[in-house]
Short mmCIF file of all heavy atoms in Angstrom, two decimals:
data_model
loop_
_atom_site.label_atom_id
_atom_site.label_comp_id
_atom_site.label_asym_id
_atom_site.label_seq_id
_atom_site.Cartn_x
_atom_site.Cartn_y
_atom_site.Cartn_z
N LYS O 285 226.98 88.28 -60.62
CA LYS O 285 227.61 89.25 -59.72
C LYS O 285 226.99 90.60 -60.03
O LYS O 285 226.84 90.97 -61.20
CB LYS O 285 229.11 89.30 -59.93
CG LYS O 285 229.85 88.07 -59.47
CD LYS O 285 231.33 88.31 -59.50
CE LYS O 285 232.19 87.12 -59.22
NZ LYS O 285 231.74 86.09 -58.42
N LEU O 286 226.62 91.33 -58.98
CA LEU O 286 226.08 92.68 -59.14
C LEU O 286 227.11 93.68 -58.65
O LEU O 286 227.70 93.50 -57.58
CB LEU O 286 224.79 92.85 -58.32
CG LEU O 286 223.55 92.17 -58.86
CD1 LEU O 286 222.38 92.41 -57.93
CD2 LEU O 286 223.22 92.68 -60.24
N ILE O 287 227.32 94.72 -59.44
CA ILE O 287 228.27 95.77 -59.07
C ILE O 287 227.50 97.08 -58.99
O ILE O 287 226.79 97.46 -59.92
CB ILE O 287 229.40 95.89 -60.10
CG1 ILE O 287 230.15 94.56 -60.19
CG2 ILE O 287 230.34 97.03 -59.74
CD1 ILE O 287 231.20 94.51 -61.27
N SER O 288 227.65 97.74 -57.85
CA SER O 288 227.02 99.05 -57.65
C SER O 288 228.04 99.97 -57.01
O SER O 288 228.65 99.61 -56.00
CB SER O 288 225.79 98.92 -56.76
OG SER O 288 225.18 100.18 -56.56
N ALA O 289 228.21 101.15 -57.58
CA ALA O 289 229.17 102.14 -57.08
C ALA O 289 230.57 101.54 -56.93
O ALA O 289 231.28 101.84 -55.98
CB ALA O 289 228.69 102.73 -55.76
N GLY O 290 230.94 100.66 -57.88
CA GLY O 290 232.28 100.08 -57.88
C GLY O 290 232.50 98.94 -56.92
O GLY O 290 233.61 98.46 -56.77
N LYS O 291 231.43 98.47 -56.24
CA LYS O 291 231.58 97.38 -55.27
C LYS O 291 230.75 96.18 -55.70
O LYS O 291 229.62 96.33 -56.15
CB LYS O 291 231.11 97.83 -53.89
CG LYS O 291 231.97 98.90 -53.29
CD LYS O 291 231.50 99.26 -51.91
CE LYS O 291 232.37 100.38 -51.32
NZ LYS O 291 231.93 100.75 -49.99
N ILE O 292 231.32 94.98 -55.54
CA ILE O 292 230.58 93.75 -55.77
C ILE O 292 229.70 93.51 -54.56
O ILE O 292 230.19 93.50 -53.43
CB ILE O 292 231.53 92.56 -56.01
CG1 ILE O 292 232.35 92.79 -57.28
CG2 ILE O 292 230.73 91.26 -56.12
CD1 ILE O 292 233.39 91.75 -57.55
N LEU O 293 228.41 93.34 -54.80
CA LEU O 293 227.45 93.21 -53.70
C LEU O 293 227.36 91.77 -53.22
O LEU O 293 227.34 90.83 -54.02
CB LEU O 293 226.07 93.70 -54.16
CG LEU O 293 226.04 95.10 -54.77
CD1 LEU O 293 224.61 95.48 -55.12
CD2 LEU O 293 226.65 96.12 -53.82
N GLU O 294 227.29 91.60 -51.91
CA GLU O 294 227.21 90.27 -51.30
C GLU O 294 225.75 89.85 -51.18
O GLU O 294 224.88 90.67 -50.87
CB GLU O 294 227.86 90.29 -49.92
CG GLU O 294 229.33 90.64 -49.96
CD GLU O 294 229.93 90.76 -48.57
OE1 GLU O 294 229.38 90.15 -47.62
OE2 GLU O 294 230.94 91.47 -48.44
N ASN O 295 225.49 88.55 -51.38
CA ASN O 295 224.12 88.03 -51.37
C ASN O 295 223.37 88.27 -50.06
O ASN O 295 222.16 88.46 -50.05
CB ASN O 295 224.12 86.52 -51.66
CG ASN O 295 224.42 86.23 -53.10
OD1 ASN O 295 224.36 87.10 -53.96
ND2 ASN O 295 224.77 84.99 -53.38
N ASN O 296 224.07 88.27 -48.93
CA ASN O 296 223.40 88.37 -47.63
C ASN O 296 223.10 89.81 -47.22
O ASN O 296 222.44 90.04 -46.22
CB ASN O 296 224.22 87.68 -46.54
CG ASN O 296 225.63 88.27 -46.42
OD1 ASN O 296 226.06 89.04 -47.26
ND2 ASN O 296 226.32 87.88 -45.38
N LYS O 297 223.55 90.79 -48.00
CA LYS O 297 223.28 92.20 -47.70
C LYS O 297 221.92 92.60 -48.26
O LYS O 297 221.41 91.98 -49.19
CB LYS O 297 224.35 93.10 -48.31
CG LYS O 297 225.75 92.81 -47.83
CD LYS O 297 225.99 93.46 -46.52
CE LYS O 297 227.46 93.28 -46.14
NZ LYS O 297 227.79 93.92 -44.93
N THR O 298 221.35 93.67 -47.69
CA THR O 298 220.10 94.21 -48.22
C THR O 298 220.40 95.36 -49.17
O THR O 298 221.50 95.92 -49.16
CB THR O 298 219.17 94.71 -47.10
OG1 THR O 298 219.80 95.82 -46.46
CG2 THR O 298 218.88 93.62 -46.10
N VAL O 299 219.41 95.73 -49.96
CA VAL O 299 219.56 96.85 -50.89
C VAL O 299 219.87 98.12 -50.11
O VAL O 299 220.71 98.92 -50.51
CB VAL O 299 218.28 97.01 -51.73
CG1 VAL O 299 218.34 98.26 -52.59
CG2 VAL O 299 218.05 95.79 -52.59
N GLY O 300 219.22 98.30 -48.98
CA GLY O 300 219.45 99.48 -48.15
C GLY O 300 220.88 99.56 -47.64
O GLY O 300 221.45 100.65 -47.55
N GLU O 301 221.48 98.43 -47.30
CA GLU O 301 222.86 98.40 -46.81
C GLU O 301 223.87 98.69 -47.92
O GLU O 301 224.96 99.20 -47.66
CB GLU O 301 223.18 97.04 -46.19
CG GLU O 301 222.43 96.75 -44.91
CD GLU O 301 222.63 95.32 -44.44
OE1 GLU O 301 222.87 94.42 -45.27
OE2 GLU O 301 222.53 95.10 -43.22
N CYS O 302 223.52 98.36 -49.16
CA CYS O 302 224.43 98.53 -50.29
C CYS O 302 224.31 99.90 -50.94
O CYS O 302 225.10 100.24 -51.81
CB CYS O 302 224.14 97.46 -51.35
SG CYS O 302 224.41 95.79 -50.76
N ARG O 303 223.37 100.67 -50.52
CA ARG O 303 223.11 101.97 -51.14
C ARG O 303 224.26 102.93 -50.87
O ARG O 303 224.77 103.01 -49.76
CB ARG O 303 221.80 102.51 -50.56
CG ARG O 303 221.24 103.62 -51.32
CD ARG O 303 219.84 103.99 -50.95
NE ARG O 303 219.42 103.55 -49.63
CZ ARG O 303 218.17 103.53 -49.25
NH1 ARG O 303 217.23 103.90 -50.07
NH2 ARG O 303 217.84 103.14 -48.04
N SER O 304 224.65 103.65 -51.90
CA SER O 304 225.72 104.63 -51.77
C SER O 304 225.09 106.02 -51.63
O SER O 304 224.34 106.44 -52.51
CB SER O 304 226.63 104.60 -52.99
OG SER O 304 227.50 105.69 -52.97
N PRO O 305 225.39 106.74 -50.55
CA PRO O 305 224.79 108.07 -50.39
C PRO O 305 225.26 109.07 -51.45
O PRO O 305 224.56 110.02 -51.75
CB PRO O 305 225.24 108.50 -49.00
CG PRO O 305 226.41 107.66 -48.67
CD PRO O 305 226.28 106.39 -49.46
N LEU O 306 226.42 108.84 -52.05
CA LEU O 306 226.93 109.76 -53.06
C LEU O 306 226.31 109.53 -54.43
O LEU O 306 226.18 110.46 -55.23
CB LEU O 306 228.45 109.63 -53.17
CG LEU O 306 229.24 109.94 -51.90
CD1 LEU O 306 230.71 109.65 -52.12
CD2 LEU O 306 229.04 111.39 -51.49
N CYS O 307 225.94 108.27 -54.73
CA CYS O 307 225.46 107.94 -56.07
C CYS O 307 223.94 107.93 -56.19
O CYS O 307 223.42 108.07 -57.28
CB CYS O 307 226.01 106.58 -56.49
SG CYS O 307 227.80 106.54 -56.59
N ASP O 308 223.24 107.69 -55.11
CA ASP O 308 221.79 107.55 -55.17
C ASP O 308 221.11 108.90 -55.00
O ASP O 308 221.28 109.57 -54.00
CB ASP O 308 221.29 106.57 -54.11
CG ASP O 308 221.75 105.15 -54.36
OD1 ASP O 308 222.00 104.84 -55.54
OD2 ASP O 308 221.84 104.38 -53.41
N VAL O 309 220.32 109.27 -55.99
CA VAL O 309 219.56 110.51 -55.97
C VAL O 309 218.13 110.16 -55.59
O VAL O 309 217.55 109.25 -56.18
CB VAL O 309 219.60 111.19 -57.35
CG1 VAL O 309 218.77 112.46 -57.35
CG2 VAL O 309 221.03 111.45 -57.77
N PRO O 310 217.56 110.83 -54.59
CA PRO O 310 216.17 110.53 -54.23
C PRO O 310 215.25 110.66 -55.44
O PRO O 310 215.29 111.66 -56.17
CB PRO O 310 215.84 111.58 -53.17
CG PRO O 310 217.17 112.01 -52.63
CD PRO O 310 218.14 111.88 -53.76
N GLY O 311 214.46 109.63 -55.67
CA GLY O 311 213.54 109.62 -56.80
C GLY O 311 214.20 109.23 -58.11
O GLY O 311 213.52 109.11 -59.13
#
């Protein structure tokens, strides 16, 4: 199970769909 920004990520989602705008810093 992968957890990112407090959410368990679903296998059928892409990395781009799971990205959190608040937590991800460009670069």
